[in-house]
Amino acid sequence: MTPIERFWLDLIDGRKHHIQTLYGTDAMERYRPHAMEREYFVNNSGHLCNHAEVLNYNRRFYDYCEDHYQEQKQQYLQRLEANKRKYEASGSYKALQREREELVTYIRGITVRNASEEKAHTRTTKKES
């Protein structure tokens, strides 16, 4: 087995884990990647196939899961919410609240500053033209 084939199997294991986590074991067991997708991946150095047939195949699978496994998905989302509430009530979350707020303020400052610089650069470039 080549390294790219091992990587393909790891990728599929990751997909199956995601499907199982979100929709349950039954959905995960139903999932089979399109044969064209594997062949393309292995023959093109790990690039994912964007062929319409493959995209449609995957979309149909996820649409099926959305239709048939809503209960499992809702249970997963409820667990996420419960874990979020539990963590937000913890002492470590509350202790780091100020640090998170400072980080958000710092990142917003960078974003605003970069946006301002980009506008200035755009205006300068237009004037030079």
Side-chain angles (χ1 to χ4, degrees):
M1 181 178 292
T2 66
I4 199 74
E5 289 170 325
R6 265 191 234 97
F7 187 68
W8 169 255
L9 293 176
D10 288 344
L11 178 72
I12 296 307
D13 283 346
R15 282 187 192 172
K16 286 186 173 190
H17 175 74
H18 166 75
I19 293 165
Q20 183 178 27
T21 301
L22 190 58
Y23 299 113
T25 302
D26 186 52
M28 181 270 299
E29 290 173 349
R30 288 178 176 272
Y31 178 72
R32 300 285 181 273
H34 194 288
M36 183 190 303
E37 187 176 14
R38 182 196 178 283
E39 182 180 334
Y40 186 89
F41 185 88
V42 170
N43 293 331
N44 291 282
S45 304
H47 292 277
L48 294 175
C49 183
N50 287 323
H51 189 277
E53 186 176 326
V54 172
L55 296 175
N56 187 36
Y57 175 86
N58 288 326
R59 175 57 30 222
R60 284 193 324 263
F61 174 78
Y62 283 102
D63 287 347
Y64 177 86
C65 288
E66 285 292 315
D67 290 342
H68 291 83
Y69 300 106
Q70 263 313 303
E71 183 179 335
Q72 291 86 341
K73 182 178 179 180
Q74 290 308 314
Q75 290 171 355
Y76 172 71
L77 294 174
Q78 288 170 356
R79 281 193 313 271
L80 280 181
E81 280 298 317
N83 289 341
K84 179 183 174 187
R85 285 190 303 274
K86 183 179 172 182
Y87 179 65
E88 287 175 344
S90 72
S92 61
Y93 180 84
K94 292 174 182 175
L96 296 173
Q97 180 66 32
R98 183 168 180 215
E99 185 178 331
R100 282 193 304 280
E101 290 170 356
E102 289 173 0
L103 185 58
V104 167
T105 302
Y106 177 74
I107 291 171
R108 283 187 181 143
I110 291 172
T111 305
V112 169
R113 190 169 45 250
N114 286 347
S116 297
E117 289 173 5
E118 186 65 31
K119 284 182 182 179
H121 177 70
T122 303
R123 279 186 254 124
T124 307
T125 306
K126 287 180 181 176
K127 286 180 183 177
E128 290 174 358
S129 297

